[in-house]
Amino acid sequence: MTENAKRHTIVIIEPSQIIESGICKLLENTEFDIIRSFTDYQSFNKDYFKGISPDMILINPTLLQPHKQFLIRSFFPDFAETIFVSLLYSYVAPETIYGFDGNITIYDTRVALLKKLRNLILPGSKHFNDKNSGNTKLSQREKEILIAVVKGLTNKEIAETQNISIHTVISHRKNVTRKTGIKTISGLLMYALFNNLISVEDMR
Amino acid sequence: MKLADLVLANYKLLYVLPRFGIQIGVGEKTVKQVCEEKKISVSLFLLVCNVYTFDNYSIEKCVLNGISLSALINYLRNSHKEYLETRVPKVIANILDITKSAYSAQFEAFCQKYKTDIDAHFDYEEKVLFPYISSLLQGKKVLEYNIKEFQANHTNIEESLDDLKNILIKYLPQVTDFEQKRNALVELFMLEEDLNKHTLIEDKILVSSVAFIEESL
């Protein structure tokens, strides 16, 4: 199967049925399949089967609590691999859509819409680059240890909760520092926040 | 050499001069003239200028023998005062300014911790190390402490700044005003570079000179 023939799954979270149907119509007969639509975040959270990540989530950012919008990925902790696209009706403050991988507006033509979505899904796009630059991407275990470190756990405590030796914890910590370039615990805390590994609420 | 030529050769010396009590605007006066007027050791002044100007400046033993340790300590104290009273607060204020839109409380905590760390770092030097050296200079041998202990505990205060640079460059949202961000970063880089040189002066010049005295006592 060639790359072009590959199909991509999309979930839409958008309160307006007119808009939602419009997008579905524009994406008919393309490589994009809209697998589910939801009218709000709460119903998505309640009903979406988290075992399967869609390739993309199109979401109207006004559906999220305003003060946390730039943490888009913290709303979707189980969808690390998914591309997030904001769906805009009008101009919004840039910080509102910070953290999204891309955005579309209701004034986009079908051609523009497809172009944007295809660019996002391209293996060379920014999102996929991040995923593929193997050397600097943290492994799941490293992420867990990083989170434990910034929460203030000692190496010994981490070793116990993760069921690994202290030596292994230290080696993971060295790798985290090598990959992120960040050495201090307060620096790692900021890294974890900006990469949505923890939220401000977690730290309380 | 004229004082003005020094500054023209390396503008970063603008930070060094006031720590010696030297001002610019002295016309064609030479370094020697200015130092004599201010009663500063020319060799110490030039040594510091050289460390600040050349990355791999090697410090000759004979130069070390010629410098006054009490003058060096005076210079280091003035540097500490400048860092704590002017440059660190300025850098922190800049950072708090550009991080208003993202995790401002966490950045504030980060900066607060850095301020506390650097305070403690300088405080230790001023309250433990410098008095120890002064007593050595008076010919008293203090048994409980020696310069090796200082070397072992000389903590790294640049790491946090390096982390901060990393985070601001990589993750601070692009919506932040670029000019503000750039100015904050440039000041941060300058402070870090200055602190690196400061540490080098302490680790190389101060420690070697003190070790020399310890041996001869």
Side-chain angles (χ1 to χ4, degrees), chain A residues 91-127:
Chain A
Y91 174 80
V92 293
E95 57 265 29
T96 311
I97 49 171
Y98 174 72
F100 282 89
D101 300 299
N103 62 75
I104 57 174
T105 82
I106 57 167
Y107 303 103
D108 283 336
T109 60
R110 180 169 187 271
V111 174
L113 174 67
L114 280 171
K115 198 175 164 193
K116 283 182 179 177
L117 295 185
R118 281 175 185 150
N119 270 335
L120 284 168
I121 218 100
L122 272 181
S125 75
K126 185 184 168 292
H127 181 78

XYZ file of all heavy atoms in Angstrom, chain A residues 91-127:
296
model
N -11.215 35.179 14.687
C -9.904 35.416 15.276
C -9.926 35.049 16.760
O -10.864 35.389 17.475
C -9.519 36.891 15.125
C -8.233 37.205 15.838
C -7.009 36.898 15.252
C -8.250 37.744 17.126
C -5.834 37.131 15.916
C -7.070 37.987 17.800
C -5.867 37.676 17.193
O -4.700 37.896 17.860
N -8.908 34.336 17.210
C -8.780 34.080 18.652
C -7.383 34.525 19.088
O -6.482 34.631 18.272
C -8.955 32.580 19.002
C -10.362 32.118 18.748
C -7.944 31.722 18.252
N -7.244 34.778 20.366
C -5.938 35.171 20.902
C -4.952 34.041 20.631
O -5.299 32.875 20.808
C -6.037 35.437 22.398
N -3.747 34.382 20.165
C -2.791 33.326 19.773
C -2.540 32.302 20.880
O -2.350 31.124 20.609
C -1.517 34.096 19.450
C -1.937 35.491 19.187
C -3.189 35.722 19.965
N -2.531 32.754 22.162
C -2.218 31.791 23.221
C -3.314 30.732 23.357
O -3.073 29.655 23.891
C -1.944 32.475 24.560
C -3.034 33.350 25.103
C -2.823 34.815 24.715
O -2.229 35.059 23.644
O -3.280 35.694 25.470
N -4.512 31.052 22.839
C -5.610 30.094 22.917
C -5.278 28.824 22.135
O -5.658 27.729 22.521
C -6.894 30.713 22.319
O -7.066 31.984 22.894
C -8.099 29.853 22.598
N -4.578 29.000 21.023
C -4.326 27.821 20.190
C -2.883 27.364 20.275
O -2.424 26.522 19.521
C -4.728 28.063 18.716
C -4.141 29.381 18.228
C -6.229 28.033 18.553
C -4.308 29.567 16.737
N -2.158 27.904 21.262
C -0.801 27.419 21.476
C -0.857 25.958 21.916
O -1.663 25.595 22.757
C -0.090 28.259 22.538
C 1.257 27.688 22.878
C 2.300 27.779 21.961
C 1.468 27.025 24.076
C 3.523 27.231 22.238
C 2.704 26.464 24.366
C 3.724 26.574 23.441
O 4.943 26.019 23.723
N -0.046 25.122 21.351
C -0.047 23.720 21.743
C -0.760 22.855 20.714
O -0.545 21.656 20.667
N -1.604 23.485 19.888
C -2.226 22.723 18.805
C -1.189 22.488 17.708
O -0.259 23.288 17.535
C -3.411 23.502 18.213
C -4.650 23.438 19.048
C -4.885 24.369 20.052
C -5.576 22.428 18.844
C -6.025 24.308 20.830
C -6.725 22.357 19.608
C -6.952 23.295 20.608
N -1.388 21.407 16.962
C -0.442 21.123 15.882
C -0.779 21.924 14.633
O 0.069 22.139 13.778
C -0.443 19.628 15.578
C -0.030 18.833 16.806
O 1.093 19.042 17.278
O -0.838 18.035 17.314
N -2.055 22.330 14.528
C -2.445 23.105 13.367
C -3.813 23.691 13.607
O -4.434 23.430 14.643
N -4.292 24.528 12.676
C -5.654 25.024 12.839
C -6.338 25.185 11.501
O -5.702 25.406 10.478
C -5.658 26.328 13.641
C -4.890 27.421 12.942
O -5.388 27.992 11.967
N -3.684 27.692 13.402
N -7.655 25.031 11.536
C -8.443 25.292 10.336
C -9.528 26.287 10.726
O -9.863 26.406 11.904
C -9.096 23.996 9.772
C -9.969 23.321 10.834
C -8.042 23.021 9.278
C -10.757 22.136 10.305
N -10.015 27.047 9.762
C -11.096 27.968 10.082
C -12.292 27.611 9.211
O -12.152 26.915 8.191
C -10.728 29.447 9.812
O -10.912 29.695 8.412
C -9.284 29.732 10.194
N -13.468 28.088 9.638
C -14.671 27.741 8.877
C -14.695 28.450 7.523
O -15.542 28.191 6.691
C -15.969 28.058 9.663
C -16.005 29.539 10.056
C -16.095 27.168 10.888
C -17.393 29.959 10.545
N -13.726 29.360 7.288
C -13.688 30.035 5.989
C -12.740 29.352 5.015
O -12.592 29.787 3.874
C -13.292 31.510 6.164
C -14.238 32.220 7.091
C -13.885 32.507 8.399
C -15.531 32.553 6.656
C -14.761 33.120 9.265
C -16.422 33.158 7.520
C -16.043 33.444 8.821
O -16.918 34.037 9.658
N -12.052 28.286 5.481
C -11.155 27.576 4.574
C -11.949 26.937 3.438
O -13.048 26.414 3.653
C -10.405 26.464 5.338
C -9.269 27.016 6.177
O -8.777 28.104 5.852
O -8.896 26.356 7.169
N -11.377 26.985 2.237
C -12.012 26.267 1.125
C -11.693 24.786 1.280
O -10.842 24.399 2.093
C -11.430 26.742 -0.221
O -10.018 26.463 -0.202
C -11.653 28.226 -0.425
N -12.359 23.955 0.486
C -12.108 22.515 0.563
C -10.639 22.239 0.253
O -9.979 21.465 0.937
C -13.009 21.777 -0.440
C -12.816 20.270 -0.413
C -13.905 19.578 -1.225
N -13.830 18.128 -1.070
C -13.101 17.343 -1.848
N -12.391 17.859 -2.829
N -13.087 16.025 -1.646
N -10.119 22.938 -0.774
C -8.718 22.728 -1.165
C -7.783 23.102 -0.024
O -6.864 22.357 0.344
C -8.385 23.572 -2.433
C -6.904 23.485 -2.758
C -9.236 23.093 -3.599
N -8.058 24.263 0.593
C -7.188 24.727 1.683
C -7.267 23.768 2.866
O -6.262 23.445 3.490
C -7.610 26.132 2.122
N -8.482 23.329 3.146
C -8.684 22.409 4.269
C -7.889 21.124 4.065
O -7.127 20.694 4.952
C -10.191 22.096 4.381
C -10.602 21.045 5.416
C -10.348 21.563 6.811
C -12.076 20.693 5.242
N -8.005 20.531 2.869
C -7.292 19.281 2.597
C -5.781 19.498 2.643
O -5.048 18.664 3.162
C -7.703 18.737 1.221
C -9.035 17.989 1.213
C -9.464 17.680 -0.208
C -8.927 16.703 2.028
N -5.357 20.628 2.122
C -3.931 20.913 2.110
C -3.388 20.964 3.538
O -2.351 20.377 3.849
C -3.702 22.259 1.397
C -2.273 22.447 0.934
C -2.145 23.731 0.134
C -0.678 24.108 0.026
N -0.486 25.466 -0.451
N -4.125 21.656 4.403
C -3.684 21.762 5.796
C -3.632 20.392 6.465
O -2.655 20.044 7.128
C -4.631 22.669 6.592
C -4.432 24.149 6.327
C -5.377 24.974 7.194
C -5.189 26.467 6.967
N -6.157 27.247 7.762
N -4.700 19.616 6.295
C -4.738 18.314 6.964
C -3.645 17.395 6.423
O -2.987 16.692 7.184
C -6.116 17.662 6.786
C -7.295 18.401 7.443
C -8.583 17.602 7.301
C -7.033 18.695 8.917
N -3.435 17.432 5.113
C -2.402 16.558 4.525
C -1.009 16.956 5.005
O -0.175 16.105 5.278
C -2.471 16.610 2.996
C -3.600 15.740 2.475
C -3.776 15.850 0.980
N -4.946 15.075 0.593
C -5.722 15.369 -0.453
N -5.439 16.416 -1.209
N -6.759 14.614 -0.724
N -0.783 18.272 5.102
C 0.519 18.718 5.599
C 0.774 18.221 7.010
O 1.885 17.856 7.369
C 0.596 20.241 5.597
C 1.139 20.761 4.284
O 1.859 20.041 3.593
N 0.772 21.970 3.930
N -0.296 18.234 7.806
C -0.131 17.810 9.201
C 0.187 16.325 9.300
O 0.903 15.890 10.195
C -1.399 18.120 9.998
C -1.579 19.585 10.374
C -2.973 19.834 10.890
C -0.544 19.970 11.425
N -0.361 15.553 8.397
C -0.225 14.112 8.483
C 1.067 13.623 7.811
O 1.511 12.509 8.036
C -1.482 13.424 7.881
C -1.852 12.201 8.698
C -1.341 13.098 6.417
C -2.983 12.458 9.645
N 1.689 14.510 6.997
C 2.931 14.137 6.313
C 3.988 13.669 7.300
O 4.152 14.270 8.349
C 3.507 15.354 5.567
C 3.053 15.632 4.149
C 3.785 16.866 3.642
C 3.332 14.441 3.250
N 4.733 12.648 6.925
C 5.791 12.170 7.838
C 6.813 13.264 8.148
O 7.409 13.264 9.191
C 6.455 11.034 7.063
C 5.490 10.649 6.006
C 4.677 11.863 5.692
N 6.976 14.221 7.232
C 7.973 15.261 7.453
C 7.473 16.439 8.265
O 8.204 17.356 8.548
N 6.176 16.407 8.639
C 5.642 17.557 9.356
C 6.252 17.638 10.745
O 6.814 16.691 11.259
C 4.130 17.470 9.465
O 3.783 16.508 10.429
N 6.120 18.801 11.351
C 6.758 19.071 12.633
C 6.388 18.021 13.672
O 7.226 17.468 14.361
C 6.317 20.460 13.106
C 7.008 20.900 14.374
C 6.450 22.227 14.840
C 6.919 22.544 16.243
N 6.364 21.654 17.235
N 5.098 17.729 13.715
C 4.623 16.792 14.718
C 5.306 15.431 14.590
O 5.750 14.855 15.560
C 3.112 16.645 14.571
C 2.508 15.713 15.577
N 2.292 16.105 16.878
C 2.125 14.423 15.484
C 1.776 15.069 17.538
N 1.655 14.052 16.726
